[in-house]
Amino acid sequence: MSLGRILTAMVTPMNDNLEVDYQEAGRLAKYLAEHGTDGIVVAGTTGESPTLSVEEKLGLFRVVKEAVGREVIVYAGIGSNSTASSVDLARKAVATGVDGLMAVVPYYNKPSQEGLYQHFKTIAEATELPLMLYNIPGRTSINLLPETVLRLSKIPNIVALKEAVGLMDQVSELKRILPEDFMVYSGDDSLTLPMLALGCSGIISVASHVIGDEMKKMVDAWFEGDTNNALQWHLKLMPVFKGIFITANPVPVKYLVNTLGLKAGKVRLPLVDATPEEEKFLTELLQNVKDK
């Protein structure tokens, strides 16, 4: 199953009481689908998954999938550092109609590579839905090594990896040893083009909330063989790729989504909203890219 080239790790809209705003979640999902997004990841880290209840996650899965229909792939973020809890949420997610699941490397408890293998294997075997692995050592403290990904790729419904290790040597090794049909996606906006050059499938993006049309032009140019045009878009968008992480994600992108007239709302504690200085920086950052 093709997942597309640009998947957005969607923020979770909140109302003034910091309750999940399901109506705005559906509206945002439709907006993304109209602005370069091929697929949506719901309740990932960008969606503030650590502060969402199981009921809120299931509600989001259902609402987003209903909003975008069959035209857009929806992957449900179900991973945690508890295998049993991840399995339970994965099974419940099936009934919401999502197209697949994404599970992050367990954080804090620091399992071995064998522990990682058994964790993801157990999740995959709990449902028939396709499963995407998510490797982000900067947040989990554990690196899912290429050899372990190779073992996991032999499980039929483990089909993709979101790779946010930031090491092109590791990405190269992944592409060298993995089956050709196993999809590897960049987990860092700024590494989209370099990872496409290494044979990866696309990006699971934060920046696509606000520059989705521009990112589509960059990615399409690459796949059409217009590498110079792709490079020029990469260089133009690089300030946003980096600047959107001026403080903890998703604080900056939620602020910018709000400036577009969409109601992303604020963030739940322990995150706090952007400072006035950060807001000024982010407003100018996006304006500079849009004006060029």
Side-chain angles (χ1 to χ4, degrees):
M1 178 179 66
S2 173
L3 305 185
R5 296 169 178 173
I6 299 177
L7 286 77
T8 299
M10 197 182 90
V11 300
T12 297
M14 304 280 185
N15 64 23
D16 291 342
N17 295 321
L18 292 180
E19 299 163 336
V20 173
D21 191 329
Y22 296 102
Q23 181 175 346
E24 287 301 319
R27 182 180 174 218
L28 176 58
K30 290 180 180 179
Y31 174 88
L32 295 173
E34 293 168 356
H35 292 277
T37 290
D38 302 312
I40 296 174
V41 176
V42 182
T45 309
T46 305
E48 298 177 74
S49 58
T51 65
L52 296 175
S53 69
V54 169
E55 291 73 20
E56 287 172 329
K57 291 177 182 179
L58 293 172
L60 283 165
F61 300 159
R62 187 174 295 106
V63 164
V64 171
K65 187 58 195 174
E66 289 175 354
V68 298
R70 296 181 179 180
E71 301 302 315
V72 177
I73 294 291
V74 176
Y75 262 54
I78 55 84
S80 72
N81 62 346
S82 165
T83 305
S85 296
S86 300
V87 165
D88 181 62
L89 183 54
R91 288 173 173 157
K92 290 175 178 176
V94 173
T96 67
V98 294
D99 303 287
L101 309 171
M102 187 178 76
V104 69
V105 166
Y107 40 86
Y108 191 77
N109 40 19
K110 301 183 75 169
S112 65
Q113 293 297 307
E114 180 61 26
L116 294 177
Y117 174 78
Q118 295 297 337
H119 171 79
F120 288 119
K121 178 176 180 287
T122 301
I123 295 172
E125 292 175 345
T127 82
E128 295 182 356
L129 287 178
L131 176 66
M132 178 185 295
L133 314 174
Y134 179 17
N135 187 35
I136 181 165
R139 284 183 178 262
T140 65
S141 80
I142 294 293
N143 184 12
L144 180 64
L145 295 177
E147 295 79 10
T148 307
V149 179
L150 177 60
R151 290 180 66 196
L152 289 164
S153 72
K154 301 180 190 303
I155 299 170
N157 62 326
I158 297 182
V159 300
L161 167 69
K162 178 183 178 182
E163 178 58 271
V165 71
L167 301 173
M168 293 304 97
D169 284 357
Q170 180 158 313
V171 175
S172 298
E173 181 65 5
L174 285 163
K175 291 303 298 179
R176 187 184 74 84
I177 66 175
L178 287 171
E180 189 173 346
D181 61 351
F182 190 90
M183 294 167 283
V184 179
Y185 285 83
S186 173
D188 294 297
D189 283 301
S190 62
L191 295 180
T192 304
L193 189 60
M195 288 182 64
L196 289 178
L198 291 173
C200 294
S201 299
I203 171 69
I204 299 179
S205 174
V206 174
S208 56
H209 283 88
V210 294
I211 53 170
D213 292 324
E214 293 83 355
M215 291 184 69
K216 179 175 174 55
K217 291 176 182 177
M218 178 185 74
V219 172
D220 285 353
W222 172 261
F223 281 103
E224 290 165 3
D226 190 350
T227 56
N228 184 63
N229 189 24
L231 173 60
Q232 295 311 309
W233 274 111
H234 168 77
L235 296 176
K236 178 180 178 179
L237 299 176
M238 179 59 77
V240 177
F241 291 158
K242 302 303 288 187
I244 207 168
F245 295 98
I246 186 176
T247 188
N249 182 46
V251 174
V253 71
K254 267 200 155 181
Y255 168 75
L256 287 175
V257 169
N258 286 325
T259 68
L260 297 178
L262 297 161
K263 298 177 182 178
K266 298 181 180 295
V267 291
R268 286 178 173 173
L269 289 169
L271 298 179
V272 294
D273 298 322
T275 66
E277 294 78 14
E278 290 166 344
E279 290 181 354
K280 181 175 184 293
F281 168 83
L282 290 164
T283 299
E284 293 175 353
L285 178 74
L286 188 59
Q287 184 176 354
N288 288 339
V289 168
K290 295 290 188 179
D291 288 347
K292 287 183 179 178

